[in-house]
Amino acid sequence: MRLAKPTDLGRDLVRFFEDYLPAQRGVSPHTIRSYRDALLLLLQFTARDSKRAIERLEIADLTPERIARFLSFLEAERKNGIATRNARLGAIHVFARFMASHHPELLGLLQRIIGLPFKHGAREAPIEYLERSEVEAVLNSIDRTTKRGRRDYALFALMFNTGARVQEVLDLRRRDVRLDAPCQVRLHGKGSRVRLCPIWPATARLLRNLMQESRSGEPEAADAFLFTNVHGRQLTRFGVRYLLRKYVVTASCVVTTLREKRIHPHSVRHSTAVALLKAGVDFATISQWLGHVSLNTTMRYARADLDLKRQALSQVFPEALAPPRGGHLLLDGRDLVGWLRRL
């Protein structure tokens, strides 16, 4: 069977992900994964739109008109928000600039791609998080009589405990877990930053049981990923999203408020942040706990929780906020506008 010859697009993709991003730009693995997801979605859309196999696509197939249709597809079909749409476009811009340096003959086409504008109007979406009763319902919906269920329970218990990003949890290896007092995990976050996060003794017991139950006879057991799938490979973010959605649907039969929420893996992180805030933990500690670069990122959780707003409201003078007393305002017929303003 004759092997297909790599296209210019295929060769550029390899150089982009294997050399340009990690070696020349020095971007983090999280950013590389984000760019990968964006370009994979674009290639899949282009293949369907052009009725060609992905491996046969050329650079010329990535026309500005097609990319504009792809961006519309993200919003209309995948229900992505403007912020996500702009993030995908940003990855495409970076890839187009990279290709422009290698294909001057296609500079006109690539400049038109780079010129595709970001969309304005992106609003900060309300933070979706779980209340304590909802967290308990999700965890209780997991069948812990099976090996896979015990893995899932340990996974989500650790996520609720640490408030870590889903990829930070999935990147955990056995050597990153300390099960003796003080129990803690070593998380590798954005920008290659490393932080230590304490875990409850109950969470440590779950992780100990998980590691004892998993395959440990490998020569490099300390380097083995903590959470793996049935094939022994690292669990993926998409797998975690699927599992969480499954357990939320089951839990919604018990706690009906879950039916009104759009819960995703990052909602678990939000839940931890709001729980810490309700417990009276200061913003600086929460910021360090979650691995935020800026304290402003942490401050948004104060705006998210209604109970905290009620608590703040109760601390001001209630009589200052009371509605005006009932009575009559005299209208003498001379100043109707002023009368209306005094109502």
Side-chain angles (χ1 to χ4, degrees):
M1 182 177 176
R2 183 177 176 181
L3 296 177
K5 182 180 178 182
T7 63
D8 288 339
L9 179 59
R11 284 189 288 266
D12 281 353
L13 279 168
V14 172
R15 289 197 296 262
F16 183 68
F17 284 107
E18 291 189 353
D19 178 62
Y20 179 71
L21 290 180
Q24 298 184 38
R25 290 281 300 274
V27 302
S28 70
H30 300 286
T31 302
I32 292 177
R33 293 189 189 101
S34 176
Y35 285 8
R36 174 203 63 190
D37 294 343
L39 294 180
L40 180 58
L41 287 170
L42 175 62
L43 292 175
Q44 291 172 338
F45 176 86
T46 303
R48 290 193 302 269
D49 195 56
S50 63
K51 297 181 173 56
R52 299 173 65 184
I54 289 181
E55 60 270 16
R56 303 311 307 161
L57 293 176
E58 296 284 355
I59 298 175
D61 293 317
L62 303 179
T63 63
E65 295 76 16
R66 180 167 283 148
I67 293 176
R69 291 199 299 273
F70 166 70
L71 297 173
S72 299
F73 159 78
L74 292 179
E75 294 187 80
E77 301 297 327
R78 293 182 62 87
K79 308 301 181 184
N80 289 159
I82 295 177
T84 302
R85 179 252 191 212
N86 288 343
R88 303 298 192 201
L89 178 58
I92 295 170
H93 282 171
V94 174
F95 184 52
R97 290 190 182 96
F98 168 78
M99 289 191 295
S101 64
H102 292 83
H103 302 281
E105 72 280 6
L106 297 175
L107 187 58
L109 171 68
L110 296 171
Q111 283 178 331
R112 291 171 60 206
I113 294 176
I114 297 170
L116 289 172
F118 292 109
K119 191 171 185 177
H120 293 289
R123 293 174 294 180
E124 184 176 351
I127 295 176
E128 288 282 15
Y129 64 93
L130 298 170
E131 300 289 355
R132 177 170 182 154
S133 60
E134 295 169 336
V135 171
E136 292 174 350
V138 171
L139 291 176
N140 291 336
S141 68
I142 302 175
D143 181 10
R144 297 172 65 184
T145 62
T146 66
K147 180 178 178 180
R148 195 176 303 178
R150 289 188 288 274
R151 178 207 63 187
D152 296 346
Y153 191 92
L155 168 67
F156 290 115
L158 180 63
M159 290 177 64
F160 282 120
N161 184 162
T162 61
R165 301 174 181 90
V166 62
Q167 194 61 53
E168 292 174 346
V169 172
L170 296 181
D171 286 341
L172 279 174
R173 300 177 186 267
R174 295 187 175 207
R175 65 169 182 263
D176 295 319
V177 181
R178 179 189 172 97
L179 299 177
D180 299 322
C183 304
Q184 61 190 26
V185 292
R186 181 172 53 204
L187 299 169
H188 300 265
K190 288 184 175 181
S192 300
R193 290 183 295 272
V194 179
R195 70 184 187 279
L196 298 176
C197 188
I199 58 176
W200 301 312
T203 307
R205 287 193 295 272
L206 292 172
L207 298 182
R208 187 188 301 276
N209 295 336
L210 176 68
M211 289 190 282
Q212 290 175 348
E213 192 172 20
S214 302
R215 288 180 263 176
S216 57
E218 303 170 1
E220 299 294 336
D223 289 329
F225 286 110
L226 193 58
F227 297 103
T228 57
N229 57 24
V230 293
H231 304 292
R233 292 191 288 270
Q234 181 186 20
L235 203 62
T236 66
R237 291 182 294 115
F238 303 104
V240 174
R241 177 182 285 269
Y242 167 78
L243 292 172
L244 179 61
R245 183 59 193 159
K246 180 178 71 171
Y247 294 129
V248 167
V249 169
T250 303
S252 65
C253 299
V254 180
V255 181
T256 56
T257 52
L258 285 170
R259 300 174 186 173
E260 306 167 2
K261 296 185 175 182
R262 185 182 177 186
I263 300 300
H264 46 81
H266 213 67
S267 302
V268 179
R269 178 172 168 85
H270 297 328
S271 305
T272 304
V274 173
L276 289 171
L277 198 57
K278 284 184 175 182
V281 181
D282 62 273
F283 285 105
T285 302
I286 297 174
S287 181
Q288 293 295 319
W289 188 300
L290 299 178
H292 287 159
V293 177
S294 170
L295 196 60
N296 291 333
T297 307
T298 314
M299 292 292 290
R300 64 181 180 149
Y301 291 112
R303 303 191 297 269
D305 185 61
L306 191 58
D307 290 339
L308 291 171
K309 295 175 183 176
R310 291 195 184 102
Q311 183 180 354
L313 188 65
S314 66
Q315 294 175 359
V316 302
F317 297 107
E319 60 272 15
L321 299 177
R325 297 178 180 179
H328 299 283
L329 292 175
L330 179 63
L331 173 63
D332 58 8
R334 290 175 298 179
D335 186 10
L336 179 60
V337 174
W339 180 84
L340 289 172
R341 285 176 175 170
R342 292 194 299 269
L343 285 177

